Amino acid sequence: MALEHAILVSLLEKPGSGYELARRFERSIGYFWTATHQQIYRVLKRMEADGLLAVREVPQQGRPDKKEYSVAAPGRALLSAWLHEPIEPESLRHDLAVKIRGAAFDDPAALVREVERHRAVHGDRLAHYLAGELRDFTGPGAPTPLDAGQELQHVVLRGGIAYERMTIAWLDDVLATLHRLAGAPPAG
Amino acid sequence: MALEHAILVSLLEKPGSGYELARRFERSIGYFWTATHQQIYRVLKRMEADGLLAVREVPQQGRPDKKEYSVAAPGRALLSAWLHEPIEPESLRHDLAVKIRGAAFDDPAALVREVERHRAVHGDRLAHYLAGELRDFTGPGAPTPLDAGQELQHVVLRGGIAYERMTIAWLDDVLATLHRLAGAPPAG
DNA sequence: CGGGCCATGTAAGCGGTTACATGATTTC
DNA sequence: GAAATCATGTAACCGCTTACATGGCCCG
């Protein structure tokens, strides 16, 4: 399981509460790993019980108190060990591809709206990533030079950008194919 | 769950046994959806019990008998219903990205070999996809013109090819970044 | 005679999703 | 007064992974 490791990395970058982690998983870390708050709270508890994390109760004004987690020495050792062992290259799980192949046994034209919707979502994500890149790494307000951690965050973000661009181009290809099939189903 | 749907699509393309499905999930369908044989056998049983699939015992010579599954009318209806309802755009789950960000708290240079290994795997996959494209869709032995099902299979395969190309380019970017960090960690 | 292929399963465990639950403060 | 934000949880379910299990045929 890599959620543990993602939490360790995120807490090393900056200690925070379960709620804050959940928000990060909707943003930067979430670009390549998703998690809901329910899951995060449960894993945080377990990691704390295992001695991987330290907790500090932080009283707040006008807001509920929070528990700020930070990485303890064993947590850091665990992460280090994981970093040094090989992992399996990812395999895709792409529902939409299943749908596209399935469209051969249904009405291909009915998929157009769905594919367009996905294209819009990926367009939004790309815009969001590009704005983040400008803000944190390449814009006038960004630190120069970047330190190692920032360089690594940037290259990961570039991966997200490349993924979204590739996906958008592919969805355009899919749409063109669907239109071709709808335009001339029997004729060549 | 989309495994059910992936199985329906695969069996509509061609009826087959659990074993054969498992092999397909290592190949064409597996380009965008993975599944192990254990999982497939269990789901096949459930789908048969639910009346989505029909089974036929096929005696064989020199080989164990097999059960050939095909899609029954309710299965086809289920697939059709799924095709007409919207699905969530995928979110990435990329362990390697977690590792890369984690490298900021360890030795970035230690990641080089791991990234190179991933790059090699994706290079192999790309070569494999390109060979399949030539064999089934663009080569001299391929049917012309392609029917709708083949066109859709081809556009999905083009997605896999685009994904692998993008990933390889990104891993090169990651390697360049790691080398830069190793070459001049304190100096700008 | 070892290894790989064909063929089908059972069992345990756990990571992740979904639904449910609470409650104060701030903002429109 | 409604909705969003901050903040933390419990409970049930289920899909998926991993390990274990069997057994004949073919090829080198």
Side-chain angles (χ1 to χ4, degrees), chain B residues 19 23 37-38 41 45 60 64 67:
Chain B
Y19 187 84
R23 299 215 61 204
H37 76 273
Q38 293 91 332
Y41 283 121
K45 273 215 163 149
Q60 295 189 122
K67 297 179 186 169

Side-chain angles (χ1 to χ4, degrees), chain A residues 19 23 37-38 41 45 60 64 66-67 93:
Chain A
Y19 187 84
R23 300 214 59 204
H37 77 273
Q38 293 91 334
Y41 284 121
K45 275 216 162 147
Q60 295 189 123
K66 67 175 182 181
K67 297 180 187 170
R93 283 264 165 119

Side-chain angles (χ1 to χ4, degrees), chain B residues 80-109:
Chain B
S80 187
W82 178 68
L83 288 173
H84 286 270
E85 69 189 31
I87 52 173
E88 283 297 301
E90 313 292 305
S91 296
L92 282 180
R93 282 265 164 119
H94 209 139
D95 296 71
L96 191 59
V98 179
K99 271 200 172 189
I100 291 166
R101 274 176 80 144
F105 307 98
D106 201 83
D107 177 21

Side-chain angles (χ1 to χ4, degrees), chain B residues 64-166:
Chain B
D65 296 350
K66 67 176 182 180
K67 297 179 186 169
E68 194 185 71
Y69 289 90
S70 55
V71 179
R76 207 167 163 134
L78 186 86
L79 180 67
S80 187
W82 178 68
L83 288 173
H84 286 270
E85 69 189 31
I87 52 173
E88 283 297 301
E90 313 292 305
S91 296
L92 282 180
R93 282 265 164 119
H94 209 139
D95 296 71
L96 191 59
V98 179
K99 271 200 172 189
I100 291 166
R101 274 176 80 144
F105 307 98
D106 201 83
D107 177 21
L111 254 187
V112 168
R113 221 173 304 171
E114 172 82 340
V115 175
E116 282 171 345
R117 203 172 53 84
H118 282 247
R119 195 198 181 287
V121 169
H122 286 283
D124 288 348
R125 283 191 196 162
L126 175 59
H128 183 229
Y129 291 2
L130 288 172
E133 186 182 35
L134 202 65
R135 183 187 64 238
D136 297 334
F137 303 117
T138 57
T144 35
L146 303 174
D147 65 30
Q150 290 161 338
E151 288 283 5
L152 291 168
Q153 286 184 31
H154 188 195
V155 78
V156 168
L157 179 55
R158 288 202 296 274
I161 290 169
Y163 177 78
E164 297 302 333
R165 286 204 168 117
M166 181 279 298

